[in-house]
Amino acid sequence: IDQLEELLGKFNMPQPKTDEPPSIAPTESSLRRGIASQEFFLVYQPQFSIATGKIVGVEALLRWQHPTLGLLHPGLFIPLAEQSGLINQLTEQVLEQALAQMAKWDHADITMSINVSPTTVVDLNMPEKLDAMTTALEIDPEKIVIELTETALMENASLYMDILTRLRMKRFNLSIDDFGTGYSSMQHLVRIPFNELKIDQSFVRQMLKDTECRTVAQMSISLAHGLNMHVVAEGIEDQETFDLLRELGCEIGQGFHMSHPVSAWEIEHLYLS
Ligand code: C2E
Ligand code: MG
Ligand code: MG
Ligand code: MG
C-alpha cells in the first residue's frame, strides 16, 4: 500500500488551474429548465468479461440534449449541477431512467452501473430510496452497481461509511470509480465496503507505453484482490491493452476498443438478443 501511495503521489501532483470557462457553457437557469423538460437521457457502455469476452454489465452515462448547444457530455454540466444544488433532482431522473431500463432487461444476466455524486448518496437517503425503487420494479439489488469517485469520498470518509455500509447490507454493489486519481489515504478504502475497483482510464490508456502506469494498474489489481474486490479497467482502446489486462488478472473491461456508449436499443439488439 505504501509503495502504491508513493507512486500515485507522483501522478497526483497539483496541476496549475485554468479558470477559463469552456467555450460552450450552459447556465444554471438552462439546467433548471432542462431538468423540468426532461432533456436528459442515458447512454450505456457495455462491460465485458476479459476471460470470456461476454457482456457482463453496462454503465449508464448521462447526456443532455440541449436545445441550442446540442448534445452535452457530463463534464460540461455535472460540476454546475453540483454547485447549484440541482444534482439531487438530476440524480433522481438518472435513477428512474436507469432502473426502468433495468426492469425491461430483467431476462438478461447483466449488471447496471450508475454514477452518483457522493453528496446525493446522503441527501437522497440512497439506501432507502434505492431499496424502494428496486422493490417496486422487482429488480435484484445485486444487479445494481453504485459508482462513486475516490476523490469526493475520501474527503469525508466517516460520513459515507455508515450510509455505504447500509447500501451494501441491502445487497447493492459499491464501486470505487477513477481509482488512482484521488489524493486519498488508502486506509479509508479498506474501511468502506466496496466490492469493485475501477482503474482510472488515464492509467489504462498509457499502460503499454508507460511502465509506471502499468505498475499502478498492477498494484491496484493486487490491492483490490487482497480486499476481495474485482477489478474493472476503463478506457481500453486497443487489443494489446486488453491482452495485457488479462495477463494481469483484471476481470472486467470497458472501452472504445470494444464499444462506445450506445443507446438502450443498441445494447438490446447487439448484445442481448
Ligand atoms: P466515468 O464514470 O469514469 O465514465 C467513463 C467515461 O469515460 C465516460 O465519459 C466514457 O464515455 C469514457 N470512456 C469510456 N471508454 C473510453 C475509452 O476507451 N477512451 C476514452 N477516451 N474515454 C472512454 P462521459 O460519458 O463523458 O462521462 C464522464 C464522467 O461524468 C463519468 O466518468 C462520470 O464520472 C460522470 N457521469 C456520467 N454520468 C453521470 C451521472 O449520471 N451522474 C453523475 N453524478 N456523474 C456522471
Ligand atoms: Mg463511472
Ligand atoms: Mg471512471
Ligand atoms: Mg471519469
Side-chain angles (χ1 to χ4, degrees), residues 59 61 115 147 177-178 198 234:
E59 177 175 11
L61 295 161
N115 294 280
E147 293 193 7
D177 201 356
D178 299 350
K198 293 187 87 169
E234 59 182 7

PDB file of all heavy atoms in Angstrom, residues 59 61 115 147 177-178 198 234, ligand 2:
ATOM      1  N   GLU A  59     -22.634   0.436 -18.119  1.00  0.00           N
ATOM      2  CA  GLU A  59     -22.562   1.629 -17.274  1.00  0.00           C
ATOM      3  C   GLU A  59     -23.450   2.697 -17.888  1.00  0.00           C
ATOM      4  O   GLU A  59     -23.330   3.011 -19.080  1.00  0.00           O
ATOM      5  CB  GLU A  59     -21.124   2.153 -17.157  1.00  0.00           C
ATOM      6  CG  GLU A  59     -21.073   3.451 -16.332  1.00  0.00           C
ATOM      7  CD  GLU A  59     -19.661   3.978 -16.064  1.00  0.00           C
ATOM      8  OE1 GLU A  59     -18.692   3.479 -16.666  1.00  0.00           O
ATOM      9  OE2 GLU A  59     -19.561   4.920 -15.238  1.00  0.00           O
ATOM     10  N   LEU A  61     -24.433   6.346 -18.637  1.00  0.00           N
ATOM     11  CA  LEU A  61     -23.721   7.628 -18.721  1.00  0.00           C
ATOM     12  C   LEU A  61     -24.694   8.697 -19.211  1.00  0.00           C
ATOM     13  O   LEU A  61     -25.405   8.511 -20.206  1.00  0.00           O
ATOM     14  CB  LEU A  61     -22.516   7.497 -19.655  1.00  0.00           C
ATOM     15  CG  LEU A  61     -21.419   6.535 -19.142  1.00  0.00           C
ATOM     16  CD1 LEU A  61     -20.502   6.080 -20.266  1.00  0.00           C
ATOM     17  CD2 LEU A  61     -20.626   7.171 -18.000  1.00  0.00           C
ATOM     18  N   ASN A 115     -23.538   6.121 -11.940  1.00  0.00           N
ATOM     19  CA  ASN A 115     -22.641   7.081 -11.295  1.00  0.00           C
ATOM     20  C   ASN A 115     -23.446   8.015 -10.407  1.00  0.00           C
ATOM     21  O   ASN A 115     -24.451   8.575 -10.834  1.00  0.00           O
ATOM     22  CB  ASN A 115     -21.929   7.930 -12.354  1.00  0.00           C
ATOM     23  CG  ASN A 115     -20.997   7.098 -13.201  1.00  0.00           C
ATOM     24  OD1 ASN A 115     -19.885   6.777 -12.793  1.00  0.00           O
ATOM     25  ND2 ASN A 115     -21.464   6.724 -14.397  1.00  0.00           N
ATOM     26  N   GLU A 147     -21.548   3.604  -8.469  1.00  0.00           N
ATOM     27  CA  GLU A 147     -20.164   4.068  -8.645  1.00  0.00           C
ATOM     28  C   GLU A 147     -19.953   5.424  -7.983  1.00  0.00           C
ATOM     29  O   GLU A 147     -20.693   6.371  -8.234  1.00  0.00           O
ATOM     30  CB  GLU A 147     -19.830   4.207 -10.136  1.00  0.00           C
ATOM     31  CG  GLU A 147     -19.784   2.902 -10.874  1.00  0.00           C
ATOM     32  CD  GLU A 147     -19.134   3.045 -12.255  1.00  0.00           C
ATOM     33  OE1 GLU A 147     -18.603   4.138 -12.573  1.00  0.00           O
ATOM     34  OE2 GLU A 147     -19.165   2.057 -13.010  1.00  0.00           O
ATOM     35  N   ASP A 177     -14.788   4.455  -8.364  1.00  0.00           N
ATOM     36  CA  ASP A 177     -14.530   4.871  -9.749  1.00  0.00           C
ATOM     37  C   ASP A 177     -13.265   5.729  -9.824  1.00  0.00           C
ATOM     38  O   ASP A 177     -12.873   6.348  -8.837  1.00  0.00           O
ATOM     39  CB  ASP A 177     -15.735   5.705 -10.220  1.00  0.00           C
ATOM     40  CG  ASP A 177     -15.870   5.767 -11.733  1.00  0.00           C
ATOM     41  OD1 ASP A 177     -15.006   5.241 -12.448  1.00  0.00           O
ATOM     42  OD2 ASP A 177     -16.867   6.355 -12.198  1.00  0.00           O
ATOM     43  N   ASP A 178     -12.647   5.766 -10.989  1.00  0.00           N
ATOM     44  CA  ASP A 178     -11.465   6.612 -11.232  1.00  0.00           C
ATOM     45  C   ASP A 178     -10.374   6.354 -10.204  1.00  0.00           C
ATOM     46  O   ASP A 178      -9.691   7.279  -9.756  1.00  0.00           O
ATOM     47  CB  ASP A 178     -11.837   8.111 -11.209  1.00  0.00           C
ATOM     48  CG  ASP A 178     -12.855   8.471 -12.278  1.00  0.00           C
ATOM     49  OD1 ASP A 178     -13.124   7.622 -13.145  1.00  0.00           O
ATOM     50  OD2 ASP A 178     -13.373   9.587 -12.232  1.00  0.00           O
ATOM     51  N   LYS A 198     -12.497   0.395 -10.019  1.00  0.00           N
ATOM     52  CA  LYS A 198     -12.296   0.731 -11.438  1.00  0.00           C
ATOM     53  C   LYS A 198     -10.999   1.510 -11.589  1.00  0.00           C
ATOM     54  O   LYS A 198     -10.860   2.614 -11.056  1.00  0.00           O
ATOM     55  CB  LYS A 198     -13.459   1.577 -11.957  1.00  0.00           C
ATOM     56  CG  LYS A 198     -14.767   0.817 -12.007  1.00  0.00           C
ATOM     57  CD  LYS A 198     -15.861   1.614 -12.687  1.00  0.00           C
ATOM     58  CE  LYS A 198     -15.852   1.420 -14.196  1.00  0.00           C
ATOM     59  NZ  LYS A 198     -17.083   1.989 -14.819  1.00  0.00           N
ATOM     60  N   GLU A 234     -11.210   0.713 -17.212  1.00  0.00           N
ATOM     61  CA  GLU A 234     -11.943   1.537 -18.182  1.00  0.00           C
ATOM     62  C   GLU A 234     -10.964   2.261 -19.080  1.00  0.00           C
ATOM     63  O   GLU A 234      -9.815   2.487 -18.725  1.00  0.00           O
ATOM     64  CB  GLU A 234     -12.898   2.507 -17.480  1.00  0.00           C
ATOM     65  CG  GLU A 234     -12.265   3.467 -16.522  1.00  0.00           C
ATOM     66  CD  GLU A 234     -13.296   4.371 -15.829  1.00  0.00           C
ATOM     67  OE1 GLU A 234     -14.512   4.163 -15.987  1.00  0.00           O
ATOM     68  OE2 GLU A 234     -12.865   5.293 -15.126  1.00  0.00           O
TER      69      GLU A 234
HETATM   70 MG    MG B   2     -18.231   5.644 -13.763  1.00  0.00          MG
END
